[in-house]
Amino acid sequence: MSGILSGLRVVEGSAFVAAPLGGMTLAQLGADIIRFDQIGGGLDYHRWPLAADGQSLFWAGLNKGKRSIQIDVRTPEGRELVAALIAAPGEQGGRNGEEEIAQIEGGLHQAGLPICKCKRLAELGDQDVV
């Protein structure tokens, strides 16, 4: 998918509404979302409402546009796989992301959306940002 976040990879381990919705939104903006769940499906895999075939409409709706893998995260090997997936360099090959940040800020500006400069947020350090 192309979009303002094209080239960004997000590894998602989540359940229920807030995090899957955030991941779906990022996917709609072009990010590559890789969701990982326990083997057999995540906590919300069988959540209602259900289609006639028993598939969760909730699950299908909030996970569209994502790639999904099942890993046994209860084992050390499973946790190692998740850690390796999270730490793996993306298509940017370990660059610091300044070009990508500039691209995102430029896209927001072109769309007429307000911009809070990422560098300014970094300068705030550990202060709360609302």
Side-chain angles (χ1 to χ4, degrees):
M1 180 181 279
S2 64
I4 192 170
L5 298 181
S6 182
L8 175 70
R9 182 185 64 207
V10 176
V11 178
E12 174 187 300
S14 63
F16 300 106
V17 180
L21 178 61
M24 182 189 71
T25 302
L26 294 174
Q28 290 172 335
L29 292 170
D32 176 23
I33 310 299
I34 305 170
R35 178 181 169 123
F36 69 89
D37 287 299
Q38 184 66 21
I39 294 174
L43 296 173
D44 52 357
Y45 185 67
H46 297 289
R47 185 179 171 130
W48 61 268
L50 301 177
D53 65 358
Q55 187 176 30
S56 170
L57 298 175
F58 174 89
W59 175 267
L62 287 180
N63 290 298
K64 60 186 172 188
K66 301 176 186 179
R67 294 191 287 161
S68 180
I69 58 172
Q70 293 186 12
I71 298 176
D72 187 355
V73 294
R74 294 180 184 140
T75 66
E77 296 84 6
R79 290 189 295 274
E80 285 177 25
L81 284 172
V82 171
L85 179 62
I86 292 168
E91 57 184 69
Q92 304 306 323
R95 294 191 338 225
N96 64 8
E98 287 186 21
E99 292 176 30
E100 291 75 18
I101 290 170
Q103 178 183 2
I104 292 168
E105 290 175 346
L108 291 171
H109 179 71
Q110 287 177 353
L113 298 172
I115 301 171
C116 183
K117 293 286 187 183
C118 294
K119 286 184 180 181
R120 174 68 183 121
L121 290 175
E123 290 169 1
L124 294 174
D126 290 337
Q127 297 178 20
D128 289 335
V129 178
V130 179

